[in-house]
Amino acid sequence: MVPEFLLAELPPHSRLVATNCADPVIFERRFIFDSYACRRGKGTHRAIDRAHSFQRKYTYVLKTDIVRFFPNVDHHVMKGLLRRSIRDEPFLRLIDLIIDSGNGILANQATPAYFPGDNLFAILRPTGLPIGNLTSQFFANVLLDVIDHFVKEQLRIPGYLRYADDLLLFANSKRQLWDARELLEQELRKLRLRLHPDKTSLRPTFQPLTFLGLRLTPQDRRLSQSTLRRFNRRLRLQKSSYRSSAMTSEEIQRSLIAFRGHCQSANATAILGQILARTRFRRSSR
């Protein structure tokens, strides 16, 4: 949603336009079915279900994501895409204000690169969407919707889904996926984005696939090792915070409930039970 204090700065007509666009019906109509991040009726559980169904159906999977996506979003490209659908000038100025607020915030995380046609000043182009901002999640869907339609309509990949900047492409032909990777990289360059070379892999679907914190095989779903390490690390921090009275039991309980909710899509009851059975929260005796 657009914050109330920003809406108050708009004239009445633009305030109505902004409110309608904050519930982005005009964009939802064009989003593909298999885009799952920050959309009503989608989310991580449904993305995992869809990935698992594709894993059982196809022979190969190309897994990839985009190099430091949010810090590297080009402001000029982002504004241009939004202007294809929005014409109200006061509202566009509000959007520009939100996008521009990301300039410099993530400068140390951006990975500047030269793209075809760039001059020596390309390094100065403003980039970055503030991580954690709900508008940034929505802007990401608008930006990568271009890629979604390219993969589905131009590359004709039979099984494709995206969660934020995590992309999975499924097919029965290894050659089709190798070709898709090359063409996908070319299309991303038009948005001034790049695939992550170290996080791009093509493998048979009978091998384990790590996606959204789970380790998927055609027969099973389990928590990934990295997810378990993060959970154990979080428990240690919470035990220390509880001991020093920096956290309450209610806060810890809410955290555990949230994590269990995330694990609902996995066969994780036994391992969570083992971890929690050996975990004790105690107050300091001081």
Side-chain angles (χ1 to χ4, degrees):
M1 290 183 62
V2 178
E4 289 294 334
F5 76 91
L6 289 176
L7 285 176
E9 300 297 320
L10 294 173
H13 168 70
S14 297
R15 195 176 307 144
L16 178 62
V17 173
T19 302
N20 289 337
C21 288
D23 182 18
V25 176
I26 59 173
F27 294 95
E28 277 289 334
R29 293 193 192 104
R30 73 186 66 160
F31 288 164
I32 68 168
F33 177 85
D34 285 311
S35 166
Y36 288 91
C38 297
R39 293 179 64 197
R40 190 174 298 170
K42 302 292 184 177
T44 56
H45 294 304
R46 294 195 177 184
I48 291 166
D49 288 343
R50 188 67 158 169
H52 205 197
S53 69
F54 283 153
Q55 186 181 23
R56 292 167 169 168
K57 183 176 181 180
Y58 297 104
T59 310
Y60 299 99
V61 57
L62 173 66
K63 178 189 177 188
T64 188
D65 71 11
I66 296 170
V67 175
R68 292 194 173 273
F69 173 70
F70 283 101
N72 284 320
V73 169
D74 186 277
H75 287 191
H76 179 74
V77 172
M78 186 74 256
K79 293 175 183 178
L81 286 174
L82 289 165
R83 278 167 167 74
R84 292 182 183 179
S85 302
I86 300 172
R87 296 287 183 267
D88 188 81
E89 285 302 323
F91 185 39
L92 286 171
R93 287 196 292 273
L94 172 63
I95 288 175
D96 291 347
L97 180 65
I98 295 171
I99 294 174
D100 291 341
S101 70
N103 189 30
I105 294 178
L106 304 176
N108 62 329
Q109 298 182 35
T111 53
Y114 286 102
F115 293 90
D118 281 352
N119 57 32
L120 293 176
F121 296 100
I123 199 76
L124 301 177
R125 293 175 68 105
T127 63
L129 295 177
I131 295 175
N133 191 331
L134 286 178
T135 55
S136 297
Q137 303 289 338
F138 168 63
F139 292 156
N141 278 338
V142 174
L143 181 62
L144 293 180
D145 181 61
V146 176
I147 298 301
D148 294 341
H149 284 278
F150 175 74
V151 173
K152 295 290 291 182
E153 297 162 13
Q154 302 298 316
L155 301 183
R156 297 189 178 277
I157 298 299
Y160 168 75
L161 68 92
R162 178 178 61 81
Y163 189 93
D165 64 321
D166 290 329
L167 288 69
L168 294 178
L169 290 75
F170 294 84
N172 290 323
S173 167
K174 183 183 292 187
R175 171 49 55 190
Q176 183 183 15
L177 291 178
W178 278 126
D179 292 344
R181 172 184 173 171
E182 182 178 345
L183 294 170
L184 182 57
E185 287 178 321
Q186 294 176 16
E187 194 67 16
L188 279 168
R189 290 188 199 114
K190 299 176 184 178
L191 302 177
R192 305 187 65 81
L193 297 169
R194 296 170 293 147
L195 292 183
H196 200 303
D198 298 331
K199 296 182 180 180
T200 299
S201 64
L202 195 160
R203 65 182 63 190
T205 51
F206 67 78
Q207 295 181 356
L209 169 66
T210 302
F211 181 59
L212 298 179
L214 299 191
R215 184 177 180 269
L216 308 179
T217 65
Q219 300 79 24
D220 200 9
R221 310 179 188 186
R222 297 186 180 274
L223 296 178
S224 68
Q225 289 300 312
S226 60
T227 299
L228 287 172
R229 284 194 296 271
R230 285 195 300 270
F231 180 56
N232 278 301
R233 187 161 54 244
R234 185 192 307 169
L235 277 180
R236 288 195 295 271
L237 291 173
Q238 289 176 343
K239 287 168 62 178
S240 176
S241 297
Y242 184 77
R243 189 179 304 115
S244 63
S245 298
M247 284 189 76
T248 65
S249 58
E250 290 78 11
E251 289 173 325
I252 292 173
Q253 186 175 18
R254 285 197 296 269
S255 175
L256 292 175
I257 290 172
F259 186 73
R260 281 174 171 165
H262 174 70
C263 297
Q264 283 178 355
S265 294
N267 180 11
T269 303
I271 186 66
L272 285 179
Q274 292 172 14
I275 293 173
L276 294 176
R278 61 175 182 260
T279 302
R280 295 289 183 271
F281 290 91
R282 295 187 177 90
R283 291 290 193 195
S284 174
S285 58
R286 294 180 181 178

